[in-house]
Amino acid sequence: ARGELRLSRIAGGQSNPTYFVDKGARRLVLRKQPGGEILPSAHAVDRASAQGDLAAVTSANRHFHFLLFNAADMPRLSRTLRQLWDATDVYRSVYFASPTNRSRVHDDHERLVDALRRRDEHAAVAAQQAHRDASVSSVTAALHVAGR
């Protein structure tokens, strides 16, 4: 094929960076898996959720979040977050028991990974905040109903 080789990024919220590769009249699509452990870790949460294995969902979710926390390279903060996480693990079990919440976690993690991939720290912080707010709201409601 004749012509100049051109590469252009396809816009959107894909977890995997996706590009058009054009050469002359020919167009191909190239998908690239992002480097690092964050995306595979998010997918591990999804796989465990699809299998309905709540213990595996909880473990994979913890791994995903601590990859993010530890990436800040602030060991004291990571230790504090680990202590808080351990103290609240029972509430995550309540949260993950709901298929609706597990679906929300998938969507939240996708938004967060997408923001990180785009290196958009404001979107990443907003995605994390929305993720926390939804979790707290859901668990609070479940505990309120259980307390009746």
Side-chain angles (χ1 to χ4, degrees):
R2 299 191 128 188
E4 181 180 316
L5 185 66
R6 289 189 332 252
L7 182 70
S8 56
R9 180 118 188 216
I10 299 173
Q14 303 93 347
S15 295
N16 296 354
T18 307
Y19 303 86
F20 285 126
V21 180
D22 296 300
K23 184 168 183 177
R26 188 164 186 198
R27 173 172 268 187
L28 302 171
V29 174
L30 172 68
R31 291 187 74 204
K32 178 184 180 296
Q33 181 170 344
E37 296 181 52
I38 292 174
L39 184 61
S41 180
H43 288 173
V45 176
D46 293 342
R47 280 191 303 279
S49 181
Q51 295 169 353
D53 184 343
L54 299 185
V57 171
T58 301
S59 176
N61 185 65
R62 178 189 179 102
H63 181 72
F64 172 77
H65 283 280
F66 277 92
L67 281 172
L68 299 176
F69 300 152
N70 293 336
D73 198 26
M74 298 174 74
R76 183 176 287 160
L77 175 62
S78 289
R79 279 193 303 276
T80 300
L81 290 170
R82 189 167 286 107
Q83 289 174 326
L84 293 169
W85 194 281
D86 290 346
T88 59
D89 241 359
V90 67
Y91 299 110
R92 261 176 288 292
S93 300
V94 170
Y95 184 71
F96 290 138
S98 163
T100 300
N101 290 341
R102 291 194 306 269
S103 177
R104 180 183 298 132
V105 165
H106 165 80
D107 294 343
D108 289 351
H109 286 181
E110 285 289 314
R111 274 190 290 282
L112 180 55
V113 167
D114 183 59
L116 293 171
R117 181 183 46 74
R118 291 182 287 110
R119 300 187 187 287
D120 183 342
E121 69 273 8
H122 297 293
V125 168
Q128 262 302 57
Q129 184 66 47
H131 184 53
R132 273 191 309 275
D133 290 348
S135 300
V136 169
S137 177
S138 178
V139 170
T140 299
L143 294 175
H144 181 72
V145 168
R148 286 185 181 195

